[in-house]
Each structure stands twice: as C-alpha cells, then as structure tokens.
Amino acid sequence: GVKRSTEGIDLTDHKGLELRLRGQGLNNWKVVLTHSMEDVDPKVTYEGFFQLQEPGQFESVQVPFSDIQPYFRGKKVDAPRIKLDKIASLGVQAYGGVYEEVKQSGPG
C-alpha cells in the first residue's frame, strides 16, 4: 500500500477520486482516508472499495465519495460522513482477510 498527506487540500467541490494504478496480481483494493474532524474519533478511517480487472496493467478507477464509509479496525461503524475539507491523508491498500469474504494473499 501507499499513504500520502492531503492536509490543507479541500475536496468539497469534487464528487470522488480518480486513481491510475496497477495491482501487480492483486485484484481487491481500497482507498483509506484519515481525517482531522474534531467530532469523530481519530482512529476511524473512511474506506472505499474497488477491484482491478487487468493483472499487471495500469488501470483508471473512480471511487465516488458517496461510496466511502467509516470503519474502525476493519469493521463498519456508525459515524458521520467524512468532511471533504478535513481529509488528512489518502492511502491505497490491498484488502481481504479476517473480516472480509474475500481472502487474498500478497504476491510471492
């Protein structure tokens, strides 16, 4: 996975994220957003899931903000929607495991 700071970037006028990436053999991915909202536990992350279709090839994917939901330690929680001017970081991770129906292991 990868994670980058987005502190100071206001995405209020945007409908979602568009990413161009390559899965290197893994198909199931998620966007993970951290936040700086004062009314939500800082341990809550906001996640949006997507799949890549072409192994080893770069693909463009769109993740609408309306699809991004609050999670804590892999489980969906009841929390307000993320404020698009309070996104602190953006990460991309492969997913699958304990709490997911999808099980996948890394390459190698």
Side-chain angles (χ1 to χ4, degrees):
V2 64
K3 182 178 178 181
R4 295 287 181 251
S5 172
T6 56
E7 203 72 53
I9 298 173
D10 184 350
L11 297 175
T12 302
D13 293 332
H14 298 274
K15 294 183 184 202
L17 301 168
E18 183 170 356
L19 307 168
R20 182 151 175 81
L21 40 86
R22 178 175 58 192
Q24 297 182 338
L26 299 174
N27 297 335
N28 301 299
W29 292 86
K30 63 181 176 178
V31 169
V32 180
L33 305 175
T34 63
H35 63 88
S36 59
M37 299 185 301
E38 294 179 10
D39 58 336
V40 178
D41 185 329
K43 295 175 189 161
V44 170
T45 58
Y46 288 80
E47 303 179 8
F49 298 84
F50 60 93
Q51 291 192 327
L52 297 176
Q53 305 300 319
E54 300 292 327
Q57 302 296 317
F58 279 95
E59 297 179 56
S60 292
V61 295
Q62 294 181 347
V63 182
F65 289 128
S66 59
D67 290 351
I68 294 176
Q69 302 294 319
Y71 284 81
F72 177 69
R73 294 189 176 181
K75 292 187 178 183
K76 198 170 177 183
V77 295
D78 183 26
R81 297 202 61 76
I82 194 164
K83 295 176 183 169
L84 299 178
D85 61 341
K86 299 291 186 185
I87 297 172
S89 71
L90 180 148
V92 178
Q93 297 177 352
Y95 77 87
V98 178
Y99 301 119
E100 301 294 331
E101 289 182 27
V102 174
K103 310 288 185 214
Q104 72 179 2
S105 58

